[in-house]
Structures are given as C-alpha cells and as structure tokens.
C-alpha cells in the first residue's frame, strides 16, 4: 500500500502544462451566484483535494470543469477554464469532446444497467471514429479493469450485470469506464462517500495508484482522506478559493484563519 501523505510531489518540470487552469470564473444558478472570481491552477500528474463546508461550491466548480452544469438552462458563467491549454468553453469545443479528456466520478457509483464489459466500453463506443474489432475491445476492457485492480475479480463474469457488483467494485468500474478514451483529467466528487471504511480505503489506494498517470481533482469531506491521499489541497468557502497549497502545509500551517477553523472542525 502507498505511504499516503508521506510521498513527495512528483517531480514534474516546473513549466509542465497545468491540467486545469481556471481564470476569473463566476457562476450563477439563476440569480444566485455560486462561484466568485475563482482562479485556480491544478497541476498535472498529481492528486489535488478540494475541501470546504457544504454548499461552498466544490461540486459546482468540479462540474464546470467538464461542462456538466450547462445542461441546466439557468446557469450562466463568465471567465475561462482551460484543460491542457484548451479553452473548454470556446466556440469550437463541444461538451462531448471535453468529457473524453475530462472524466467524472460521482458520489454514488452509477454503472449503467448493462454488463460489466459494456460499461467499460460505453464511453469508447460513443467517441470512436470507426467500429473496433472484438479483440481490440477485449484489450481495452482488460487494460481498464487491470488499471483499477478489478480484472482478477471479474474476468470470468464480464457479461454479468454491473449493478450486481458490490459498491466498491461498482465505483472502481465507474473509474475503469473512463479510461479507454485516455482522459487527461479525472474529476471525483466524494467518490468514497457511499462506501464503508474498508471499501473507502481500497478506492483511496486505487486513486493513489492512478496518480502520475492522470491528473486527479477530488472533492472530499473527509479531512483524513484529504491529508492521506492528496499532494495539494484547495480550501473553498462561500464560492471562493481561500487557500491552495501543498497538502502537508495546509494541515500543518494553514495561512488563513478560515482554513484553520475549518480543518479544526470549528465550522462546517
Ligand atoms: N442545480 C442547482 N440549482 C440551483 N442551485 C444550486 C444547484 N446546485 C448547487 N446549487 C447551490 O450552489 C451552492 C453550491 O453548491 P455545491 O453543490 O456546489 O456545493 P458543495 O460544496 O458541493 O456542497 P456539498 O459539500 O454539500 O456537496 C449551494 O448554495 C447550492 O444550494
Ligand atoms: Mg458537493
């Protein structure tokens, strides 16, 4: 198992292109402003945790990074979000294209009511330009399931319904099905909140294993999890980013009073 929290930041060149760059982002649900002038740079190849009290805008910010909010007709935004240098809200960019590069995992595992195999291939089939052969698809399924450490457990029952898996297995499958389109960024919104402590640990370990291969932005209410399983940490309050530093620094010597109040459980 990885030595969470003890690991040093991956040695990426200082000028490596950021995974996500948010500049001056404001977001309104109707008349209610949920995000205020958010500036944020998420580095490539590391795990960044996002913490803050309920309602501070963590999910809103995460959903903005793969254009899920726009399905609500009453959302307006100003500012820009770039993923690997590309403006994801530019006129020549589509939400489908964006989601190929930016996958998202939700609080409750949400496998489709299809077989394990068809779940893994779903995104790939949506995005592919030509039909792939059965053996190409088999390779994609095996690789994705190996990456999330599920292959040995499910290789003999790939045609069974994914919904029959345990919650831990379902959540790993929901991560696996993002991988065949080779995303750069994985967004995870409290991915362990529906899991018991043992399953939480297993999924956390998996997220840590994926570090380096993907840039991961994960929302959590669990301070221990943020501290154990992230390189950098972002603290949000009332729609604003209050502090963003290396995780150890945030927990040992937070710069802002609000951050230390939150970490020490004085509110939220
Ligand atoms: N679809 C929506 N329509 C209208 N308002 C919304 C919508 N989603 C979120 N909000 C509001 O925007 C604010 C930020 O919500 P958001 O869900 O982003 O917070 P959060 O930090 O993820 O909270 P939690 O920790 O409870 O998940 C809240 O005031 C919330 O009520
Ligand atoms: Mg949320």
């Amino acid at each position: 198992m990885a030595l969470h929290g003890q690991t040093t930041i991956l040695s990426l060149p200082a000028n490596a292109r950021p995974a996500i760059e948010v500049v001056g982002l404001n977001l309104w649900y109707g008349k209610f402003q949920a995000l205020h002038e958010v500036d944020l740079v998420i580095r490539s190849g590391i795990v960044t945790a996002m913490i803050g009290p309920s309602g501070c805008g963590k999910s809103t910010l995460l959903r903005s990074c793969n254009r899920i909010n726009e399905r609500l007709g009453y959302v307006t935004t100003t500012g820009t979000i770039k993923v690997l240098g590309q403006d994801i809200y530019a006129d020549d960019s589509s939400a489908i294209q964006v989601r190929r590069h930016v996958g998202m995992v939700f609080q409750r595992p949400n496998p489709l009511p299809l077989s394990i195999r068809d779940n893994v291939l779903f995104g790939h089939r949506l995005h592919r330009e030509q039909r792939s052969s059965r053996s190409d698809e088999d390779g994609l399924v095996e690789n994705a399931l190996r990456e999330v450490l599920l292959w040995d457990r499910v290789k003999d029952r790939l045609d069974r319904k994914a919904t029959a898996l345990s919650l831990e297995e379902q959540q790993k499958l929901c991560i696996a099905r993002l991988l065949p389109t080779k995303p750069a960024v994985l967004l995870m919104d409290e991915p362990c909140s529906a899991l018991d402590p043992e399953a939480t640990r297993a999924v956390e370990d998996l997220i840590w294993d994926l570090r380096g291969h993907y840039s991961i932005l994960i929302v959590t209410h669990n301070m221990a999890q943020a501290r154990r399983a992230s390189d950098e940490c972002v603290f949000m309050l009332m729609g604003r980013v209050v502090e963003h530093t290396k995780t150890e620094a945030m927990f040992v010597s937070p710069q802002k009073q609000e951050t230390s109040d939150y970490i020490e459980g004085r509110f939220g």
Side-chain angles (χ1 to χ4, degrees):
M1 190 169 65
L3 260 182
H4 296 179
Q6 306 294 314
T7 323
T8 48
I9 305 280
L10 291 183
S11 50
L12 287 166
N15 62 353
R17 194 154 55 166
I20 304 176
E21 235 176 322
V22 179
V23 180
L25 184 68
N26 293 288
L27 182 146
W28 292 262
Y29 291 110
K31 293 207 167 88
F32 172 72
Q33 186 166 5
L35 296 177
H36 299 259
E37 288 300 321
V38 171
D39 292 326
L40 189 62
V41 174
I42 302 300
R43 291 177 52 208
S44 286
I46 65 167
V47 178
T48 303
M50 208 176 344
I51 61 171
S54 187
C56 71
K58 304 177 298 297
S59 298
T60 300
L61 180 53
L62 212 64
R63 290 194 300 253
S64 301
C65 293
N66 79 341
R67 293 184 52 171
I68 291 192
N69 285 324
E70 72 190 36
R71 76 192 191 286
L72 304 170
Y74 55 96
V75 168
T76 45
T77 55
T78 60
T80 57
I81 303 181
K82 288 184 181 170
V83 172
L84 297 178
Q86 299 276 336
D87 180 350
I88 63 168
Y89 286 93
D91 290 343
D92 60 351
S93 166
S94 76
I96 300 239
Q97 249 177 349
V98 168
R99 290 186 204 136
R100 179 174 177 171
H101 303 294
V102 185
M104 181 141 174
V105 180
F106 300 87
Q107 283 179 283
R108 286 204 68 78
N110 56 350
L112 298 160
L114 301 170
S115 69
I116 296 172
R117 179 185 156 84
D118 287 340
N119 264 275
V120 177
L121 290 170
F122 194 83
H124 164 73
R125 287 172 173 162
L126 196 68
H127 293 293
R128 72 181 165 196
E129 272 133 34
Q130 309 167 329
R131 237 184 124 74
S132 0
S133 68
R134 172 90 195 182
S135 69
D136 284 348
E137 290 193 340
D138 287 348
L140 288 172
V141 171
E142 179 171 347
N143 287 342
L145 291 170
R146 278 195 190 282
E147 238 182 307
V148 301
L149 314 175
L150 262 191
W151 176 249
D152 289 329
R153 264 195 263 171
V154 302
K155 64 183 177 205
D156 301 323
R157 46 184 173 134
L158 295 175
D159 291 322
R160 301 259 188 90
K161 276 262 158 63
T163 42
L165 295 170
S166 72
L167 282 179
E168 172 193 329
E169 290 166 336
Q170 287 186 26
Q171 197 59 307
K172 288 180 169 175
L173 179 67
C174 288
I175 299 174
R177 71 176 176 191
L178 303 176
L179 307 184
T181 64
K182 305 205 183 331
V185 179
L186 301 179
L187 306 171
M188 303 194 180
D189 197 351
E190 301 187 51
C192 300
S193 65
L195 307 181
D196 64 32
E198 203 176 317
T200 294
R201 199 65 199 218
V203 172
E204 264 180 29
D205 281 349
L206 167 63
I207 293 167
W208 200 249
D209 282 347
L210 296 173
R211 173 179 178 268
H213 302 278
Y214 304 93
S215 306
I216 299 175
L217 180 57
I218 177 174
V219 171
T220 179
H221 273 279
N222 179 333
M223 290 304 106
Q225 180 179 63
R227 193 166 181 176
R228 254 195 322 261
S230 69
D231 301 288
E232 293 189 3
C233 200
V234 177
F235 171 61
M236 287 186 70
L237 191 62
M238 296 175 74
R240 297 173 195 274
V241 170
V242 172
E243 189 164 343
H244 176 194
T245 54
K246 291 189 180 172
T247 299
E248 264 317 283
M250 183 165 296
F251 283 92
V252 174
S253 52
Q255 300 297 304
K256 299 275 171 64
Q257 186 62 40
E258 295 102 312
T259 315
S260 90
D261 286 349
Y262 179 70
I263 287 171
E264 288 168 26
R266 285 197 282 271
F267 65 90

